[in-house]
Amino acid sequence: MLALGALVCFGRVAHAGDLEEIRQRGRLVWGADQEGGGPYVYPREDDPRQVTGFEVELAELFATALGVKSELAQGNWDKLPDLLRTGKIDVVLNGYEWSAERATTMAASMPYYVYGLQLLVRKADASLASWDDLGTPGASGDKRRVGVLTGSAAEEHVRRALGDRVTLVSYDGNTDAMREVETEKLDATLQDTPIASFYAPRFPGLRPVGAPVGKGYYVVYARAGELGLVQALDRATVELLATGKLEALYRKYGLWDDAQAELFAIARMARFYGVPAAAALGDGAPRAPAAGAPSPGPSGDAGGTQSTGGAAGSAPPPAAGSEPAASDIVRLGERKRGWEVVRDYAGILVESAGLTVVLSLLSFPLAIALGLAVAIGRLYGPRLVRAPLGAYVELLRGTPLMLQLYFIFFFLPEVGVRLPAFATAILGLAVNYSAYESEIYRAGLQAVPPGQMEAALALGMTRGQALRRVVVPQAARIVIPPVVNDFIALFKDTSVCSVITLVELTKRYSVLSMSTQATIELMLMTAVLYLGMSYPLAVVSRRLEKRLGQRALVT
Amino acid sequence: MIEVRALEKRFVGGPAVLRGVSLAVAKGAVAVVIGPSGSGKSTLLRCINGLEPFDAGEVRVGELVLPPGVDPKKDARLLQAVRRRVGMVFQALHLFPHMSVLENLVAGPRHVLGEAREAAEARALELLLRMNLRDKARAMPRDLSGGQQQRVAIARTLLMRPDAILVDEPTSALDPATANEVLAVMVELARDGQTMIAVTHSFRFARRAATQVHVLADGVEVESGPPERVLEAPEHEVTRALLEAERA
């Protein structure tokens, strides 16, 4: 309990705020999830400790425009709005689509990218030539299986366009569904155009079908009401368009297509709001010509009526003079394999394992202390504290660790208690495991014959002394195996901490696997690391048991 | 020294275990409480030591008074004071299995009396020597014979320097030869003037060391007096039956 208090008291008050505060601080803290992968934000292939991606560069451009530096804050993609709301980041900048719903809870900037949804199928599968074919059963007579990212615009689009004529399969990782199509577990997948084109080299067995559909807009989200910040970002976007920097950036990542013309149309409106750069855009057609490329279908368009020939993977011809040198173009290299993966990624995986170890080693002793206090309170404490302690145990055992971490990280800030992610993880793990520990100790304490307590009392010891000198040491011997068991469990449960922005071993695996597709190699390395850390524990435990066992138990 | 007045004790939902027992033990006296199984002997000792609250009567230890219904938490200080004056040797011994013999002995002196480890160990080793257990100081309790364990339990209580000790059935679990070893130790203690109340259902210790004998049956004292009188000329049938049983 003391430790809990200490953590709350000393927790750094996370601070983020409006434009003024960002300028004073000198940093724009932007939230994104590396696990989302390329081309947005992903580990560099030559140095996985660095992140790259068009949004990394875009954030730098934005920051420069604000006169500050940019700082990436890692968070799980679907939790980014929570990080924003609780003041842990200044903006969300990570392929977040504009939606009416989000715009009511957050302040949206003008779009920085116009995306479409690209249908991808197997090259070898001749039966799928259009969206219409998707609605007809395959050779086996079953409905076609279409993979989408959970909660994405693509999921919504397929549901509206095809309803129950196909089987929808949801994935958490962007490229998971693409791999599944290649391995024939799915018939097709619908992906945001940036992903479809960026990862095309990694999935040579796939081909696009039809033109992109379901147009949408990536926007930057700030906290609701932060209009000063949003306006500054909008000015920066207009400026980047006017100077051609945005186009150059998108061309570098192979993302520029004629759908981006709409950005100019939107930007031109800005001159009505006194943005000087907007005037430079003129009244005419966008600078980017759209020769030969199909225009994206209207939003929500469902059928297979699109003209064929255009593909997300092939960018339209660039404007004269704005084509980047070939060496500047960011393209994914060959998928690394075997020992190459070990050589390039073992280092960073081991580093992330370090965080796993630190989290375990700091939280478990706390869990032991808390658990022991709870167990002793329940067994020997006054009647008044027994019921609350019982409730404490049941509440913490009966709810998921993840929910408890959310509660500390995302809810407590609303009532003024702000803890950094690391302290939240330690506290959450310690409190959660203290419930399990206390039950083990309760059983252990009860397994010590009551005569031991009486003998200690008869010697004149206080109850506290009797517990400390006589009862607890004996219970400790009884509980070693289950406690070690719990430690190994906690050790692996640290992976849940990725939900509160920590990149420990499992999250690192997900990030790397998503951006490199070297899933098998990374999975094996991760497993070996976990096993390599937990097995010695099991050995130490067995030794300890043996040694203490010789000094133990029952006269 | 110890005075028990009209003690009554009934376990919740059970029959009365003690029904008005009184006895007084002066400094240096050796009282032996004797009686058949279930007569309330052990409960009497536990009440004197405050391990068991009683319903009526009182226990006096020097100027300390244990009233009926003592609460282990509220009356912790009083109970601790009583227990420092009156040590207890349990029938089941309750040696601390995770500690060596020496650690068992010095736990009380160190943590209750606040003695330095060296001083406490010196006293403990001296006592072990007297009890013929010097070579067992580093042994664990479970590696000792029953008689050795019994002597360690007595030594553990004596090292607290109590004014009086309560001994519950010291020989009941021992074979005759081992019982003799333990009896020898107890008799020596009695001769050295150790105030003591011993519960037993055998008369051997009573004959050799008791200054007074109390016969308990069904929660009532049926007979008491000096050992010569009670053992040689018993007045109550329970006493006679016990003596008969011993001879058989």
Side-chain angles (χ1 to χ4, degrees):
Chain A
M1 290 298 169
L2 264 179
L4 199 152
L7 277 170
V8 170
C9 294
F10 299 124
R12 182 170 57 90
V13 175
H15 203 69
D18 61 22
L19 186 57
E20 208 41 49
E21 285 182 28
I22 292 169
R23 288 202 164 122
Q24 275 176 14
R25 194 194 316 139
R27 279 175 295 126
L28 171 67
V29 181
W30 60 288
D33 189 354
Q34 296 185 53
E35 192 177 339
Y40 306 87
V41 179
Y42 61 103
R44 280 172 61 154
E45 297 206 24
D46 54 344
D47 180 3
R49 282 171 191 79
Q50 307 287 322
V51 288
T52 184
F54 81 92
E55 286 178 340
V56 175
E57 298 192 34
L58 184 58
E60 277 165 17
L61 291 172
F62 279 143
T64 306
L66 299 184
V68 297
K69 301 249 175 248
S70 72
E71 179 183 312
L72 167 62
Q74 164 67 36
N76 273 16
W77 193 79
D78 57 339
K79 292 293 170 234
L80 293 174
D82 291 324
L83 291 174
L84 184 65
R85 187 171 42 80
T86 51
K88 292 167 165 54
I89 56 178
D90 298 319
V91 292
V92 173
L93 167 49
N94 198 205
Y96 255 69
E97 309 94 339
W98 183 91
S99 78
E101 209 180 5
R102 285 183 185 142
T104 59
T105 56
M106 298 180 282
S109 73
M110 70 169 276
Y112 61 85
Y113 189 78
V114 183
Y115 72 91
L117 300 170
Q118 179 63 54
L119 187 64
L120 298 169
V121 302
R122 260 187 312 287
K123 268 182 187 155
D125 187 353
S127 70
L128 287 173
S130 72
W131 274 82
D132 274 343
D133 294 338
L134 208 53
T136 60
S140 62
D142 293 333
K143 283 190 226 173
R144 310 275 189 174
R145 293 165 61 81
V146 182
V148 289
L149 188 65
T150 311
S152 65
E155 181 176 16
E156 185 56 28
H157 187 86
V158 174
R159 188 170 289 134
R160 264 190 297 151
L162 294 164
D164 56 6
R165 288 194 288 155
V166 295
T167 303
L168 253 184
V169 187
S170 298
Y171 290 85
D172 283 336
N174 278 332
T175 57
D176 285 345
M178 293 171 76
R179 190 178 58 239
E180 299 277 85
V181 175
E182 238 184 14
T183 57
E184 302 189 21
K185 282 204 271 183
L186 295 174
D187 294 302
T189 177
L190 190 62
Q191 296 284 346
D192 285 17
T193 43
I195 298 167
S197 55
F198 190 73
Y199 282 107
R202 282 282 164 78
F203 298 96
L206 300 186
R207 68 179 161 90
V209 169
V213 298
K215 182 182 67 173
Y217 307 94
Y218 291 155
V219 296
V220 182
Y221 284 107
R223 261 182 295 286
E226 295 292 344
L227 295 179
L229 176 56
V230 167
Q231 273 169 14
L233 291 172
D234 287 351
R235 278 164 194 268
T237 307
V238 171
E239 189 94 21
L240 292 172
L241 276 167
T243 56
K245 282 184 182 166
L246 198 63
E247 182 178 340
L249 172 61
Y250 290 166
R251 285 192 187 283
K252 179 176 166 187
Y253 285 89
L255 295 173
W256 187 261
D257 55 31
D258 66 342
Q260 306 314 317
E262 199 178 344
L263 291 178
F264 288 96
I266 296 167
R268 272 194 294 277
M269 311 297 268
R271 74 193 148 134
F272 300 119
Y273 300 95
V275 179
L281 295 166
D283 285 318
R287 292 187 327 129
S295 57
S299 178
D301 184 24
T305 57
Q306 306 292 329
S307 65
T308 52
S314 59
S322 59
E323 187 173 15
S327 60
D328 289 342
I329 295 182
V330 176
R331 285 214 180 83
L332 280 177
E334 279 280 289
R335 172 195 176 309
K336 295 177 186 173
R337 281 174 204 283
W339 292 115
E340 212 180 352
V341 177
V342 177
R343 184 195 66 204
D344 289 354
Y345 298 116
I348 191 167
L349 278 178
V350 167
E351 274 172 37
S352 308
L355 179 58
T356 295
V357 170
V358 168
L359 285 174
S360 313
L361 290 184
L362 289 183
S363 58
F364 199 61
L366 258 174
I368 287 178
L370 268 175
L372 194 58
V374 171
I376 287 178
R378 286 188 79 183
L379 283 177
Y380 306 106
R383 212 165 291 275
L384 216 64
V385 308
R386 288 184 203 178
L389 288 177
Y392 171 92
V393 169
E394 294 312 330
L395 178 74
L396 290 165
R397 275 202 309 189
T399 57
L401 171 61
M402 193 189 287
L403 220 58
Q404 294 162 18
L405 290 173
Y406 284 160
F407 180 84
I408 301 173
F409 200 60
F410 294 123
F411 175 74
L412 286 188
E414 314 240 332
V415 294
V417 182
R418 289 166 190 276
L419 288 180
F422 186 71
T424 301
I426 302 286
L427 182 70
L429 286 168
V431 167
N432 180 267
Y433 269 79
S434 72
Y436 297 97
E437 291 308 290
S438 80
E439 283 301 278
I440 294 176
Y441 302 146
R442 202 159 69 99
L445 289 168
Q446 282 176 323
V448 176
Q452 291 290 313
M453 170 62 99
E454 288 195 340
L457 291 177
L459 280 178
M461 289 191 191
T462 62
R463 287 173 81 80
Q465 283 177 318
L467 281 173
R468 193 152 70 92
R469 306 281 175 194
V470 175
V471 179
V472 170
Q474 291 182 60
R477 286 160 169 75
I478 300 171
V479 303
I480 287 171
V483 166
V484 170
N485 204 39
D486 257 11
F487 185 58
I488 293 174
L490 172 135
F491 178 71
K492 289 178 296 178
D493 262 358
T494 53
S495 64
V496 177
C497 295
S498 68
V499 301
I500 52 164
T501 77
L502 293 179
V503 182
E504 41 58 63
L505 186 51
T506 297
K507 176 71 177 180
R508 181 68 68 193
Y509 154 76
S510 302
V511 167
L512 292 176
S513 149
M514 213 49 76
S515 66
T516 65
Q517 279 76 49
T519 308
I520 298 295
E521 291 93 335
L522 290 166
M523 195 182 289
L524 284 173
M525 289 161 72
T526 306
V528 165
L529 278 172
Y530 271 115
L531 194 62
M533 294 186 286
S534 65
Y535 183 70
L537 271 175
V539 173
V540 167
S541 147
R542 223 167 298 149
R543 289 227 185 112
L544 203 64
E545 248 176 87
K546 234 183 207 170
R547 218 189 59 202
L548 292 175
Q550 283 165 358
R551 302 198 64 187
L553 296 188
V554 189
T555 46
Chain B
M1 173 75 252
I2 296 177
E3 203 176 340
V4 175
R5 285 185 195 161
L7 214 56
E8 289 181 27
K9 166 76 185 174
R10 173 191 292 275
F11 286 110
V12 179
V17 190
L18 297 175
R19 300 186 294 166
V21 174
S22 300
L23 60 83
V25 181
K27 188 166 165 41
V30 175
V32 169
V33 179
I34 213 162
S37 299
S39 58
K41 309 182 299 281
S42 294
T43 304
L44 175 63
L45 289 194
R46 292 171 60 81
C47 286
I48 295 172
N49 196 252
L51 286 172
E52 208 73 73
F54 43 85
D55 305 319
E58 66 176 28
V59 170
R60 284 175 176 273
V61 175
E63 78 285 358
L64 301 171
V65 180
L66 280 182
V70 282
D71 182 276
K73 277 166 206 160
K74 279 187 215 136
D75 303 317
R77 280 170 172 277
L78 173 65
L79 287 169
Q80 211 187 349
V82 168
R83 287 165 185 159
R84 291 204 19 197
R85 301 256 189 110
V86 183
M88 174 101 167
V89 181
F90 293 87
Q91 181 176 8
L93 309 184
H94 301 321
L95 294 178
F96 305 135
H98 59 300
M99 299 180 184
S100 70
V101 166
L102 192 60
E103 287 164 345
N104 262 278
L105 296 189
V106 302
R110 285 189 61 208
H111 304 306
V112 178
L113 303 181
E115 285 181 25
R117 176 196 283 275
E118 296 72 23
E121 288 189 350
R123 289 208 295 126
L125 289 170
E126 194 188 339
L127 189 56
L128 284 175
L129 192 65
R130 268 175 57 196
M131 292 200 168
N132 228 349
L133 285 170
R134 177 63 186 78
D135 57 327
K136 297 295 181 191
R138 305 283 163 196
M140 299 306 285
R142 62 164 182 186
D143 296 328
L144 303 183
S145 72
Q148 290 167 334
Q149 287 184 6
Q150 181 74 52
R151 280 178 283 159
V152 171
I154 293 171
R156 181 172 70 174
T157 303
L158 289 176
L159 275 174
M160 294 301 292
R161 295 193 167 121
D163 296 340
I165 62 173
L166 311 174
V167 187
D168 195 1
E169 304 277 12
T171 58
S172 62
L174 305 176
D175 62 78
T178 317
N180 280 336
E181 291 172 25
V182 174
L183 278 181
V185 169
M186 302 229 341
V187 169
E188 198 187 320
L189 280 175
R191 299 222 166 112
D192 288 352
Q194 174 68 57
T195 314
M196 152 169 19
I197 303 178
V199 155
T200 173
H201 43 224
S202 100
F203 289 93
R204 285 164 64 206
F205 178 62
R207 283 206 182 83
R208 291 172 61 185
T211 55
Q212 60 199 80
V213 174
H214 303 262
V215 182
L216 234 59
D218 211 8
V220 180
E221 185 189 87
V222 292
E223 184 168 4
S224 68
E228 316 76 77
R229 215 272 300 140
V230 175
L231 301 181
E232 301 311 323
E235 286 167 3
H236 199 274
E237 56 183 309
V238 170
T239 319
R240 284 198 286 270
L242 285 168
L243 283 163
E244 296 268 319
E246 193 198 20
R247 267 179 231 118

PDB file of all heavy atoms in Angstrom, chain B residues 165-182:
ATOM      1  N   ILE B 165       6.713 -22.801  35.261  1.00  0.00           N
ATOM      2  CA  ILE B 165       6.456 -23.423  33.960  1.00  0.00           C
ATOM      3  C   ILE B 165       5.261 -24.371  34.058  1.00  0.00           C
ATOM      4  O   ILE B 165       5.005 -24.973  35.106  1.00  0.00           O
ATOM      5  CB  ILE B 165       7.687 -24.175  33.393  1.00  0.00           C
ATOM      6  CG1 ILE B 165       8.116 -25.325  34.302  1.00  0.00           C
ATOM      7  CG2 ILE B 165       8.842 -23.220  33.164  1.00  0.00           C
ATOM      8  CD1 ILE B 165       9.225 -26.181  33.681  1.00  0.00           C
ATOM      9  N   LEU B 166       4.542 -24.449  32.951  1.00  0.00           N
ATOM     10  CA  LEU B 166       3.415 -25.368  32.837  1.00  0.00           C
ATOM     11  C   LEU B 166       3.857 -26.474  31.889  1.00  0.00           C
ATOM     12  O   LEU B 166       4.355 -26.186  30.798  1.00  0.00           O
ATOM     13  CB  LEU B 166       2.197 -24.652  32.249  1.00  0.00           C
ATOM     14  CG  LEU B 166       1.825 -23.317  32.900  1.00  0.00           C
ATOM     15  CD1 LEU B 166       0.690 -22.645  32.127  1.00  0.00           C
ATOM     16  CD2 LEU B 166       1.419 -23.537  34.357  1.00  0.00           C
ATOM     17  N   VAL B 167       3.715 -27.721  32.305  1.00  0.00           N
ATOM     18  CA  VAL B 167       4.176 -28.824  31.462  1.00  0.00           C
ATOM     19  C   VAL B 167       2.999 -29.753  31.191  1.00  0.00           C
ATOM     20  O   VAL B 167       2.392 -30.274  32.125  1.00  0.00           O
ATOM     21  CB  VAL B 167       5.333 -29.599  32.128  1.00  0.00           C
ATOM     22  CG1 VAL B 167       5.909 -30.617  31.152  1.00  0.00           C
ATOM     23  CG2 VAL B 167       6.414 -28.648  32.591  1.00  0.00           C
ATOM     24  N   ASP B 168       2.689 -29.926  29.910  1.00  0.00           N
ATOM     25  CA  ASP B 168       1.509 -30.720  29.534  1.00  0.00           C
ATOM     26  C   ASP B 168       1.948 -32.108  29.088  1.00  0.00           C
ATOM     27  O   ASP B 168       2.614 -32.232  28.052  1.00  0.00           O
ATOM     28  CB  ASP B 168       0.761 -29.984  28.412  1.00  0.00           C
ATOM     29  CG  ASP B 168      -0.642 -30.523  28.223  1.00  0.00           C
ATOM     30  OD1 ASP B 168      -1.026 -31.455  28.975  1.00  0.00           O
ATOM     31  OD2 ASP B 168      -1.349 -30.015  27.327  1.00  0.00           O
ATOM     32  N   GLU B 169       1.591 -33.116  29.839  1.00  0.00           N
ATOM     33  CA  GLU B 169       1.836 -34.510  29.463  1.00  0.00           C
ATOM     34  C   GLU B 169       3.248 -34.745  28.926  1.00  0.00           C
ATOM     35  O   GLU B 169       3.419 -35.134  27.775  1.00  0.00           O
ATOM     36  CB  GLU B 169       0.829 -34.936  28.373  1.00  0.00           C
ATOM     37  CG  GLU B 169      -0.624 -34.766  28.748  1.00  0.00           C
ATOM     38  CD  GLU B 169      -1.166 -35.933  29.566  1.00  0.00           C
ATOM     39  OE1 GLU B 169      -0.347 -36.763  30.037  1.00  0.00           O
ATOM     40  OE2 GLU B 169      -2.379 -36.013  29.766  1.00  0.00           O
ATOM     41  N   PRO B 170       4.260 -34.553  29.732  1.00  0.00           N
ATOM     42  CA  PRO B 170       5.623 -34.603  29.210  1.00  0.00           C
ATOM     43  C   PRO B 170       6.055 -35.994  28.749  1.00  0.00           C
ATOM     44  O   PRO B 170       6.966 -36.087  27.922  1.00  0.00           O
ATOM     45  CB  PRO B 170       6.483 -34.136  30.392  1.00  0.00           C
ATOM     46  CG  PRO B 170       5.661 -34.408  31.596  1.00  0.00           C
ATOM     47  CD  PRO B 170       4.232 -34.254  31.182  1.00  0.00           C
ATOM     48  N   THR B 171       5.441 -37.032  29.224  1.00  0.00           N
ATOM     49  CA  THR B 171       5.957 -38.363  28.906  1.00  0.00           C
ATOM     50  C   THR B 171       4.965 -39.227  28.156  1.00  0.00           C
ATOM     51  O   THR B 171       5.241 -40.385  27.862  1.00  0.00           O
ATOM     52  CB  THR B 171       6.351 -39.114  30.208  1.00  0.00           C
ATOM     53  OG1 THR B 171       5.182 -39.186  31.034  1.00  0.00           O
ATOM     54  CG2 THR B 171       7.462 -38.396  30.921  1.00  0.00           C
ATOM     55  N   SER B 172       3.810 -38.659  27.800  1.00  0.00           N
ATOM     56  CA  SER B 172       2.741 -39.523  27.282  1.00  0.00           C
ATOM     57  C   SER B 172       3.109 -40.181  25.966  1.00  0.00           C
ATOM     58  O   SER B 172       2.673 -41.284  25.665  1.00  0.00           O
ATOM     59  CB  SER B 172       1.465 -38.709  27.112  1.00  0.00           C
ATOM     60  OG  SER B 172       1.687 -37.676  26.174  1.00  0.00           O
ATOM     61  N   ALA B 173       3.958 -39.501  25.150  1.00  0.00           N
ATOM     62  CA  ALA B 173       4.234 -40.051  23.830  1.00  0.00           C
ATOM     63  C   ALA B 173       5.537 -40.846  23.803  1.00  0.00           C
ATOM     64  O   ALA B 173       6.000 -41.225  22.738  1.00  0.00           O
ATOM     65  CB  ALA B 173       4.283 -38.921  22.802  1.00  0.00           C
ATOM     66  N   LEU B 174       6.128 -41.046  24.979  1.00  0.00           N
ATOM     67  CA  LEU B 174       7.480 -41.642  25.009  1.00  0.00           C
ATOM     68  C   LEU B 174       7.461 -43.076  25.499  1.00  0.00           C
ATOM     69  O   LEU B 174       6.621 -43.463  26.317  1.00  0.00           O
ATOM     70  CB  LEU B 174       8.374 -40.797  25.919  1.00  0.00           C
ATOM     71  CG  LEU B 174       8.458 -39.307  25.557  1.00  0.00           C
ATOM     72  CD1 LEU B 174       9.285 -38.569  26.595  1.00  0.00           C
ATOM     73  CD2 LEU B 174       9.029 -39.117  24.162  1.00  0.00           C
ATOM     74  N   ASP B 175       8.430 -43.872  25.005  1.00  0.00           N
ATOM     75  CA  ASP B 175       8.575 -45.228  25.535  1.00  0.00           C
ATOM     76  C   ASP B 175       9.181 -45.131  26.936  1.00  0.00           C
ATOM     77  O   ASP B 175       9.747 -44.105  27.293  1.00  0.00           O
ATOM     78  CB  ASP B 175       9.464 -46.056  24.610  1.00  0.00           C
ATOM     79  CG  ASP B 175      10.853 -45.499  24.517  1.00  0.00           C
ATOM     80  OD1 ASP B 175      11.663 -45.706  25.453  1.00  0.00           O
ATOM     81  OD2 ASP B 175      11.147 -44.799  23.507  1.00  0.00           O
ATOM     82  N   PRO B 176       9.051 -46.152  27.758  1.00  0.00           N
ATOM     83  CA  PRO B 176       9.420 -46.064  29.189  1.00  0.00           C
ATOM     84  C   PRO B 176      10.854 -45.583  29.406  1.00  0.00           C
ATOM     85  O   PRO B 176      11.087 -44.730  30.258  1.00  0.00           O
ATOM     86  CB  PRO B 176       9.240 -47.489  29.682  1.00  0.00           C
ATOM     87  CG  PRO B 176       8.239 -48.088  28.769  1.00  0.00           C
ATOM     88  CD  PRO B 176       8.457 -47.447  27.431  1.00  0.00           C
ATOM     89  N   ALA B 177      11.800 -46.084  28.614  1.00  0.00           N
ATOM     90  CA  ALA B 177      13.190 -45.697  28.838  1.00  0.00           C
ATOM     91  C   ALA B 177      13.377 -44.208  28.586  1.00  0.00           C
ATOM     92  O   ALA B 177      13.987 -43.490  29.373  1.00  0.00           O
ATOM     93  CB  ALA B 177      14.107 -46.502  27.920  1.00  0.00           C
ATOM     94  N   THR B 178      12.824 -43.752  27.475  1.00  0.00           N
ATOM     95  CA  THR B 178      12.937 -42.337  27.125  1.00  0.00           C
ATOM     96  C   THR B 178      12.201 -41.486  28.143  1.00  0.00           C
ATOM     97  O   THR B 178      12.666 -40.417  28.530  1.00  0.00           O
ATOM     98  CB  THR B 178      12.330 -42.100  25.732  1.00  0.00           C
ATOM     99  OG1 THR B 178      12.757 -43.144  24.880  1.00  0.00           O
ATOM    100  CG2 THR B 178      12.789 -40.779  25.169  1.00  0.00           C
ATOM    101  N   ALA B 179      11.033 -41.975  28.584  1.00  0.00           N
ATOM    102  CA  ALA B 179      10.259 -41.242  29.581  1.00  0.00           C
ATOM    103  C   ALA B 179      11.121 -41.018  30.822  1.00  0.00           C
ATOM    104  O   ALA B 179      11.071 -39.941  31.427  1.00  0.00           O
ATOM    105  CB  ALA B 179       8.985 -42.009  29.932  1.00  0.00           C
ATOM    106  N   ASN B 180      11.940 -42.004  31.177  1.00  0.00           N
ATOM    107  CA  ASN B 180      12.797 -41.857  32.352  1.00  0.00           C
ATOM    108  C   ASN B 180      13.815 -40.739  32.199  1.00  0.00           C
ATOM    109  O   ASN B 180      14.037 -39.977  33.130  1.00  0.00           O
ATOM    110  CB  ASN B 180      13.524 -43.180  32.644  1.00  0.00           C
ATOM    111  CG  ASN B 180      12.602 -44.127  33.376  1.00  0.00           C
ATOM    112  OD1 ASN B 180      11.650 -43.695  34.035  1.00  0.00           O
ATOM    113  ND2 ASN B 180      12.862 -45.422  33.255  1.00  0.00           N
ATOM    114  N   GLU B 181      14.383 -40.624  30.980  1.00  0.00           N
ATOM    115  CA  GLU B 181      15.329 -39.522  30.729  1.00  0.00           C
ATOM    116  C   GLU B 181      14.665 -38.193  31.019  1.00  0.00           C
ATOM    117  O   GLU B 181      15.227 -37.322  31.680  1.00  0.00           O
ATOM    118  CB  GLU B 181      15.737 -39.463  29.242  1.00  0.00           C
ATOM    119  CG  GLU B 181      16.598 -40.563  28.696  1.00  0.00           C
ATOM    120  CD  GLU B 181      16.715 -40.434  27.168  1.00  0.00           C
ATOM    121  OE1 GLU B 181      16.561 -39.295  26.648  1.00  0.00           O
ATOM    122  OE2 GLU B 181      16.936 -41.459  26.500  1.00  0.00           O
ATOM    123  N   VAL B 182      13.438 -38.039  30.472  1.00  0.00           N
ATOM    124  CA  VAL B 182      12.734 -36.765  30.598  1.00  0.00           C
ATOM    125  C   VAL B 182      12.360 -36.520  32.058  1.00  0.00           C
ATOM    126  O   VAL B 182      12.515 -35.412  32.578  1.00  0.00           O
ATOM    127  CB  VAL B 182      11.488 -36.741  29.697  1.00  0.00           C
ATOM    128  CG1 VAL B 182      10.668 -35.488  29.937  1.00  0.00           C
ATOM    129  CG2 VAL B 182      11.910 -36.839  28.236  1.00  0.00           C
TER     130      VAL B 182
END
